[in-house]
Amino acid sequence: MIDLRSDTVTRPSRAMLEEMMVAPVGDDVYGDDPTVNELQRYAAGLAGKDAALFLPTGTQANLVALLSHCERGEEYIVGQGAHNYLYEAGGAAVLGSIQPQPIDAAADGTLPLDKVAAKIKADDIHFARTKLLSIENTHNGKVLPRDYLRQAWEFTRERKLGLHVDGARIFNAVVEYGCELKEIAQYCDSFTICLSKGLGTPVGSLLVGSHDYIKRATRWRKMTGGGMRQAGILAAAGLYALKNNVARLQDDHDNAAWLAEQLREIGADVMRHDTNMLFVRVGDAQAAALGAYMRERDVLINASPVVRLVTHLDVSREQLSDVVSHWKAFLAQ
Ligand SMILES: *Cc1c(COP(=O)(O)O)cnc(C)c1O
């Protein structure tokens, strides 16, 4: 199978599984798991921040992040299409009584700071208290302009807001900037990392921030059911991923660019490609037929009018070349 639906479909490699097999473990709720502790220390070190916390999923990492920034009756400003507004079942509102204030993102994926400023509420008993700005990098594959990160940081300092970055794919941004993680992590209070996407682990995310912040987050993680026991088996995969699978994200970006170019050449309507994602307009009528045609040829795509194709460590250039051939045959019929 060639699976282009998402970079979450990656399987652990033999080398990663071997690390998991031999990982020293302990009860992480007691803080006793040496491999979890090492992963958290390692990630905090890469980020130049005090501390990190290992969680089962990115959704829980974002929820715990928001709960650790905002209390009941407080508010976060967030993009309409942001994962932690749109795709997390309203968790912050449902479980935290935290009010989201969504705004439209600009075409480059940023939340324009003048628009953010216009939504910050005055200190008035009628209003929720605005506490946090939450941005996403990468957003639908788009790397936020590097200048914006510093501007958002300075803006939130002036306005006394926290700044959280949903960095599920932050390393795709790091590879694209050609910088170190700490060079961009300095411009936020907290951020998340998904280990289970392009980095290729079966499970796991990290939340990174200051000592006090991560201490609060650890309590929220326990309350939301994310306190795991011998989690070092999973953390070992995360350590392996951070040490071996970051630089190679460039291959995924190169493959996405190559696939975009090839599909354009055969007449497909490629709207854009950014980092490891491309978006191809196929239209309502063709979507289901294309999906079925590809599935018969062992290629999995999300059959929708605009197909999002995602490259990752389990698809090679040769396999993508087969996808282009099938696509061409589909268009020719
Ligand atoms: C996937 C994703 C998440 C959530 O991660 P899960 O591990 O699937 O819960 C959060 N934010 C963004 C931007 C994502 O792409």
Side-chain angles (χ1 to χ4, degrees), residues 186-200:
Q186 65 179 314
Y187 297 127
C188 66
D189 293 298
S190 62
F191 71 100
T192 54
I193 305 170
C194 277
L195 299 165
S196 58
K197 293 189 171 165
L199 295 179

Side-chain angles (χ1 to χ4, degrees), residues 157-282:
R157 295 318 91 179
E158 275 163 30
R159 306 305 298 262
K160 307 256 183 298
L161 301 179
L163 180 58
H164 174 69
V165 177
D166 179 349
R169 297 189 179 84
I170 193 102
F171 281 109
N172 294 87
V174 164
V175 163
E176 206 67 13
Y177 297 134
C179 73
E180 287 186 53
L181 179 62
K182 55 170 73 121
E183 293 176 65
I184 58 167
Q186 65 179 314
Y187 297 127
C188 66
D189 293 298
S190 62
F191 71 100
T192 54
I193 305 170
C194 277
L195 299 165
S196 58
K197 293 189 171 165
L199 295 179
T201 77
V203 176
S205 280
L206 288 157
L207 174 62
V208 188
S210 71
H211 280 306
D212 284 353
Y213 179 80
I214 293 300
K215 201 170 160 207
R216 289 202 299 282
T218 307
R219 181 185 291 265
W220 286 117
R221 182 185 67 171
K222 190 77 189 84
M223 192 189 290
T224 54
M228 298 184 285
R229 302 296 177 174
Q230 285 70 35
I233 291 173
L234 302 173
L239 271 169
Y240 180 89
L242 291 178
K243 289 176 183 175
N244 297 281
N245 290 349
V246 171
R248 64 147 309 286
L249 290 171
Q250 186 64 53
D251 298 344
D252 301 341
H253 297 185
D254 293 345
N255 280 340
W258 182 85
L259 183 59
E261 184 191 297
Q262 296 294 309
L263 288 177
R264 278 197 182 106
E265 249 170 50
I266 62 164
D269 184 4
V270 179
M271 294 162 63
R272 67 175 175 93
H273 78 86
D274 288 287
T275 58
N276 68 331
M277 293 184 191
L278 52 150
F279 294 82
V280 190
R281 204 192 319 264
V282 296

Side-chain angles (χ1 to χ4, degrees), residues 6-8 56-62 82-84 87-88 136-140 166-169 192 194-197 204-205 277 308:
S6 178
D7 47 9
T8 55
T57 67
T59 298
Q60 194 177 36
N62 269 327
H83 203 281
N84 61 13
Y87 296 111
E88 297 180 4
E136 196 173 291
N137 196 14
T138 63
H139 179 56
N140 296 331
D166 179 349
R169 297 189 179 84
T192 54
C194 277
L195 299 165
S196 58
K197 293 189 171 165
S205 280
M277 293 184 191
R308 183 190 77 163

Side-chain angles (χ1 to χ4, degrees), residues 12-93:
S13 63
R14 162 87 21 205
M16 182 181 279
L17 287 167
E18 275 165 13
E19 294 286 312
M20 295 167 75
M21 294 262 283
V22 299
V25 295
D27 188 331
D28 182 50
V29 174
Y30 287 103
D32 283 353
D33 190 300
T35 312
V36 171
N37 291 338
E38 191 188 338
L39 171 65
Q40 292 176 164
R41 255 196 317 272
Y42 187 77
L46 288 181
K49 294 242 183 270
D50 293 343
L53 188 66
F54 185 52
L55 296 107
T57 67
T59 298
Q60 194 177 36
N62 269 327
L63 174 64
V64 163
L66 295 170
L67 288 166
S68 304
H69 276 292
C70 302
E71 293 183 7
R72 181 175 183 225
E74 295 183 338
E75 169 183 89
Y76 68 114
I77 298 176
V78 62
Q80 287 282 2
H83 203 281
N84 61 13
Y85 171 62
L86 189 57
Y87 296 111
E88 297 180 4

